[in-house]
């Protein structure tokens, strides 16, 4: 990292005293959210349920009347129900606590001129943050230097493609995106490294601002529980009225007011629906237990009550419908166009994959380089083999391509392989204006189909003693174009069909481009209806949005606050909304929905 830090100012970072002072003033670098529930708090929440209170009250009345057997029986029922609910919620909370710990990465910072590895919660504003491949960014930071730096921001943005980062004033003014000069907490370094100065931590970071949106969202009580409470209230009112009436009539007609009171109490007890809370609680907890056997954690058993009434399922795309990984979907070379479907690649296209593997480092976190290696293994395409790696030319802002040079001992020559943006490879291959135009057309067609496009080139040259100053010294030949997509989960189409058969309408909400979203919706069997984009939603009133969501099946280029608006509009239209998602960007809408379903091991912990 010394090379990266050479231009960082100041190189020494904060002193320990200043860091401790800022930590005490500004608080720990932790995400805002719901407080962790202790055992006592969970027990209190369970006991506050009116259903349990009714069981205990009924037991107390029977005990006061001297009916010890009935009192003990009801007390056992109440204790059993409370114990089952308590065990289930404590078990879920412990697993969720583990998930929270996974979201708090350790960070490498420079303090007093020395690199230190510290817990992510101790990072403060002004720290010098050192980033390397595989690191999870601990806080928002402005880049001081960067080398071939690419990040996965899907946890925040919902988009699965890597984002390239560069340092400098031009990058800083570009904002968030391909040429951004800032990194954001929660993102993952896929390639390269960098050094940045922390600009925001905790609630002030981008991920923290998403968390702050949760504060004003109140969870709605389960509909079945509301109906049960209403029914119990009606029975209680009727029982009280009839008990008073029977007491008064018995007292006046028989003259024994003590016996009248006892008979009135007995009549009221006979009308108390104490079985309702027992049956409801046991069935909900049994449902949570059965879901846990399918590796589904239910944080609140009440969510199961609403699950059966869901009328709309809002699903994220990246990581929910798709696998949130890159796979090669299409290859074009020498006029041939080949879509991957398990068939054996023809020879010209196999060479594209071979050189794509050669142009990738031996170990990499980059999802597209992993996709090259996965396809090469599946198609039995040789990689480096016995070739010895000689030189590497990393990606740079002036040339968005990576070049690797190997010595081939069998041929006695050097082999150069390069992959990168089509325009960069066109520059390396010195294409004519006509050839470049054709390349742009093909790359545009692939991009229009929702694919991420890389070009691959190769060159062979005699062995030489010195390393050329740049890859432009090689006589590259264009080998082809490779299109990457985030593959659909195999079970998605069947799941969509099951939802449709159950009367549940499925809509997709994603931060990706509209063309990409429509392609995924078609593959998943979703009805796109009249799709809406984030830009269109921004110009709609709440009433207009409520009308438009009735017809839309696909929402694209959506920001977290717009996801929340969509969920609220569906609820206002009378729908029972379930929301699935796996990223922090889904957190506000997950909490606002009647049912929040976090997908996968990294699912956000605000879900039910």
């Amino acid at each position: 990292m010394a090379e990266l830090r050479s231009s960082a100012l100041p190189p020494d970072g904060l002193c320990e005293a200043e860091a401790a002072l800022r930590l005490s003033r500004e608080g720990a670098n932790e995400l805002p959210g719901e407080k962790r529930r202790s055992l006592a708090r969970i027990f209190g929440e369970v006991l506050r349920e009116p259903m349990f209170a009714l069981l205990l009250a009924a037991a107390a009345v029977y005990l006061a009347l001297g009916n010890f057997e009935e009192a003990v029986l009801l007390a056992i029922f109440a204790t059993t129900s409370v114990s089952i609910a308590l065990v289930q919620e404590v078990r879920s909370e412990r697993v969720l606590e583990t998930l929270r710990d996974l979201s708090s990465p350790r960070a490498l910072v420079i303090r007093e001129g020395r690199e230190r590895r510290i817990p992510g919660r101790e990072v403060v504003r002004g720290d010098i943050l050192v980033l390397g491949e595989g690191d999870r960014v601990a806080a928002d930071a402005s880049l001081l230097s960067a080398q071939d730096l690419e990040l996965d921001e899907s946890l925040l943005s919902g988009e699965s493609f890597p984002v390239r980062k560069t340092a400098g004033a031009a990058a800083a003014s570009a904002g968030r995106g391909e040429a951004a000069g800032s990194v954001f907490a929660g993102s993952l370094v896929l390639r390269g490294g960098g050094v940045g100065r922390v600009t925001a931590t905790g609630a002030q970071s981008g991920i923290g601002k998403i968390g702050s949106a949760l504060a004003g969202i109140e969870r709605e009580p389960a509909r079945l529980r509301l109906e049960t409470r209403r029914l119990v209230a009606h029975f209680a009112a009727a029982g009280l009225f009839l008990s008073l009436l029977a007491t008064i009539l018995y007292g006046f007609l028989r003259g024994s007011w003590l016996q009248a009171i006892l008979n009135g109490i007995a009549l009221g007890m006979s009308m108390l629906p104490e079985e309702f809370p027992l049956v409801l609680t046991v069935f909900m907890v049994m449902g949570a237990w059965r879901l846990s056997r399918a590796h589904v954690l239910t944080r609140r058993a009440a969510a199961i009550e609403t699950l059966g009434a869901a009328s709309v399922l809002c699903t994220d795309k990246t990581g929910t419908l798709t696998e949130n990984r890159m796979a090669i979907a299409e290859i074009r070379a020498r006029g041939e166009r080949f879509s991957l479907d398990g068939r054996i690649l023809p020879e010209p296209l196999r060479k594209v994959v071979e050189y794509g593997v050669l142009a990738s480092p031996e170990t990499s976190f980059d999802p597209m380089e992993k996709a090259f290696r996965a396809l090469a293994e599946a198609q039995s395409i040789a990689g480096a083999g016995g070739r010895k790696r000689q030189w590497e030319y990393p990606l740079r802002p002036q040339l968005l391509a990576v070049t690797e040079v190997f010595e081939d001992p069998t041929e006695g020559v050097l082999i150069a392989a390069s992959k990168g943006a089509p325009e960069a490879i066109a520059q390396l291959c010195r294409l004519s204006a006509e050839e470049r135009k054709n390349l742009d057309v093909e790359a545009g067609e692939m991009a229009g189909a929702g694919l991420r496009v890389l070009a691959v080139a190769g060159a062979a040259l005699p062995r030489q003693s010195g390393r050329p100053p740049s890859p432009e010294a090689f006589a590259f030949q264009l080998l082809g174009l490779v299109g990457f997509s985030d593959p659909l989960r195999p079970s998605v189409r069947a799941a969509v069909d099951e939802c449709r058969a159950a009367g549940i309408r499925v809509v997709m909400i994603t931060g990706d481009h509209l063309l990409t979203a429509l392609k995924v919706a078609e593959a998943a069997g979703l009805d796109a209806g009249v799709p809406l984009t984030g830009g269109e939603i921004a110009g709609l009133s709440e009433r207009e949005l409520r009308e438009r969501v009735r017809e839309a099946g696909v929402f694209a280029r959506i920001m977290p606050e717009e996801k929340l608006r969509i969920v609220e509009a569906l609820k206002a239209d009378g729908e029972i909304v379930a929301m699935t998602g796996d990223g922090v960007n889904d957190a506000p809408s997950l909490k606002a929905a009647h049912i929040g379903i976090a997908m996968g091991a990294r699912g956000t912990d605000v879900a039910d």
Side-chain angles (χ1 to χ4, degrees):
M1 285 295 175
E3 179 184 349
L4 287 173
R5 287 199 280 121
S6 60
S7 61
L9 295 176
D12 293 339
L14 298 174
C15 66
E16 292 296 342
E18 177 64 21
L21 180 62
R22 294 189 182 190
L23 184 64
S24 63
R25 284 180 176 175
E26 301 177 9
N29 180 34
E30 293 178 327
L31 300 183
E34 295 179 346
K35 295 180 179 178
R36 294 174 173 85
R37 300 192 300 168
S38 64
L39 179 62
R41 179 183 171 190
I42 295 174
F43 186 69
E45 289 177 356
V46 172
L47 285 184
R48 280 199 299 270
E49 282 292 331
M51 304 303 182
F52 293 128
L54 180 59
L55 282 174
L56 294 174
V61 171
Y62 275 119
L63 187 61
L65 291 174
N67 195 333
F68 184 74
E69 293 80 4
E70 290 287 345
V72 170
L73 186 62
L74 280 177
I76 291 174
F77 284 162
T79 303
T80 303
S81 300
V82 169
S83 300
I84 294 174
L86 188 64
V87 168
Q88 179 65 33
E89 297 220 9
V90 168
R91 181 169 176 266
S92 295
E93 194 68 25
R94 284 177 179 171
V95 178
L96 290 166
E97 186 69 24
T98 303
L99 296 181
R100 291 189 190 103
D101 292 341
L102 291 176
S103 67
S104 180
R106 293 180 65 81
L108 182 62
V109 299
I110 302 172
R111 288 183 181 173
E112 298 179 345
R114 298 191 306 272
E115 290 185 353
R116 287 192 53 201
R117 183 73 67 175
I118 64 174
R121 68 184 306 277
E122 295 180 9
V123 173
V124 299
R125 184 176 49 83
D127 261 331
I128 303 299
L129 197 62
V130 182
L131 302 173
E133 286 192 12
D135 287 347
R136 182 74 66 177
V137 181
D140 290 1
S142 177
L143 286 173
L144 301 173
S145 59
Q147 182 178 12
D148 193 14
L149 183 60
E150 287 188 355
L151 278 79
D152 175 4
E153 293 184 346
S154 60
L155 191 67
L156 296 167
S157 66
E159 298 191 28
S160 55
F161 294 127
V163 179
R164 183 170 294 113
K165 302 289 183 177
T166 56
S173 65
R176 187 168 173 171
E178 281 289 324
S182 297
V183 293
F184 301 92
S187 52
L188 177 69
V189 180
L190 298 174
R191 175 200 288 278
V195 174
R197 189 193 307 277
V198 174
T199 57
T201 62
Q204 301 304 314
S205 65
I207 197 172
K209 290 176 181 176
I210 294 176
S212 65
L214 301 173
I217 301 175
E218 295 292 335
R219 294 186 186 273
E220 295 187 13
R223 294 166 66 90
L224 180 58
R225 183 145 301 189
L226 287 176
E227 292 295 330
T228 305
R229 287 177 180 175
R230 189 176 297 114
L231 186 61
V232 169
H234 290 163
F235 269 97
L240 179 61
F241 173 76
L242 293 177
S243 296
L244 288 174
L245 181 61
T247 300
I248 294 171
L249 290 176
Y250 194 100
F252 279 114
L253 296 176
R254 302 288 181 91
S256 176
W257 287 98
L258 178 60
Q259 191 62 39
I261 293 173
L262 291 176
N263 287 338
I265 292 175
L267 178 61
M269 286 301 303
S270 67
M271 298 188 66
L272 278 177
E274 63 269 16
E275 299 87 356
F276 285 7
L278 176 64
V279 171
L280 180 63
T281 301
V282 169
F283 272 88
M284 292 306 104
V285 173
M286 285 179 62
W289 175 71
R290 291 180 64 187
L291 285 173
S292 70
R293 297 183 66 185
H295 307 291
V296 178
L297 290 174
T298 307
R299 192 177 190 192
R300 291 174 175 81
I304 300 174
E305 304 170 20
T306 314
L307 195 57
S311 59
V312 173
L313 173 61
C314 299
T315 175
D316 186 32
K317 180 186 76 68
T318 304
T320 304
L321 295 180
T322 66
E323 298 180 3
N324 195 22
R325 65 175 180 87
M326 290 287 101
I328 295 176
E330 183 180 331
I331 302 176
R332 297 191 185 192
R334 300 180 184 178
E336 290 192 56
R337 175 178 176 178
F338 197 89
S339 296
L340 273 294
D341 55 3
R343 294 177 293 165
I344 300 299
L345 285 168
E347 189 55 39
L349 303 184
R350 292 175 69 85
K351 190 172 184 181
V352 175
V353 177
E354 178 188 356
Y355 273 71
V357 173
L358 289 174
S360 303
E362 290 181 306
T363 57
S364 174
F365 292 90
D366 189 295
M368 289 185 282
E369 291 174 348
K370 289 182 178 179
F372 268 120
R373 295 191 182 280
L375 181 59
E377 183 178 345
Q379 296 277 339
S380 300
I381 298 173
R387 298 160 178 158
K388 183 179 178 182
R389 193 180 301 267
Q390 293 289 311
W391 310 308
E392 177 183 359
Y393 298 90
L395 179 145
R396 62 183 196 269
Q398 297 80 13
L399 185 69
L400 300 180
V402 176
T403 302
E404 302 277 351
V405 181
F406 295 82
E407 180 184 0
D408 191 333
T410 60
E411 301 292 335
V413 297
L414 294 178
I415 294 176
S418 185
K419 71 177 188 325
E423 60 274 16
I425 297 299
Q427 178 184 335
L428 278 179
C429 296
R430 301 178 179 85
L431 298 184
S432 65
E434 184 66 24
E435 290 172 328
R436 183 168 294 199
K437 181 179 178 181
N438 293 336
L439 181 68
D440 290 342
V441 169
E442 287 197 274
E445 289 177 356
M446 296 172 74
L451 302 179
R452 184 69 172 257
V453 185
L454 289 182
V456 178
L461 63 157
R463 294 175 61 180
Q464 56 191 74
S465 57
R467 164 178 167 156
S470 69
E472 284 92 337
F474 303 111
F476 279 104
Q477 297 294 319
L478 177 66
L479 297 179
L481 293 172
V482 181
F484 299 81
S485 68
D486 188 358
L488 200 70
R489 292 183 184 271
S491 59
V492 162
R493 194 172 187 99
V496 170
D497 290 340
E498 287 184 16
C499 288
R500 190 177 290 116
I504 301 173
R505 173 175 155 233
V506 182
V507 301
M508 182 174 70
I509 306 175
T510 177
D512 272 343
H513 295 279
L514 179 59
L515 288 175
T516 304
L518 291 174
K519 187 176 181 65
V520 171
E522 181 182 0
L526 295 176
D527 181 10
V530 183
L532 273 175
T533 64
E536 294 173 316
I537 290 174
L540 297 176
S541 66
E542 299 305 322
R543 183 183 60 82
E544 292 170 334
L545 180 59
R546 191 164 62 247
E547 294 174 355
R548 294 290 299 274
V549 295
R550 297 171 187 166
E551 304 174 349
V554 171
F555 300 86
R557 302 303 282 171
I558 302 298
M559 299 298 289
E561 58 272 17
E562 291 160 351
K563 283 188 180 184
L564 181 58
R565 284 192 65 196
I566 292 169
V567 169
E568 296 289 5
L570 288 167
K571 289 167 61 179
D573 200 38
E575 305 282 3
I576 306 301
V577 182
M579 174 78 192
T580 69
D582 69 335
V584 177
N585 63 312
D586 300 318
S589 49
L590 279 171
K591 186 174 181 181
H594 293 105
I595 311 157
I597 307 167
M599 307 292 292
R602 70 176 193 168
T604 181
D605 64 21
V606 300
D608 294 318

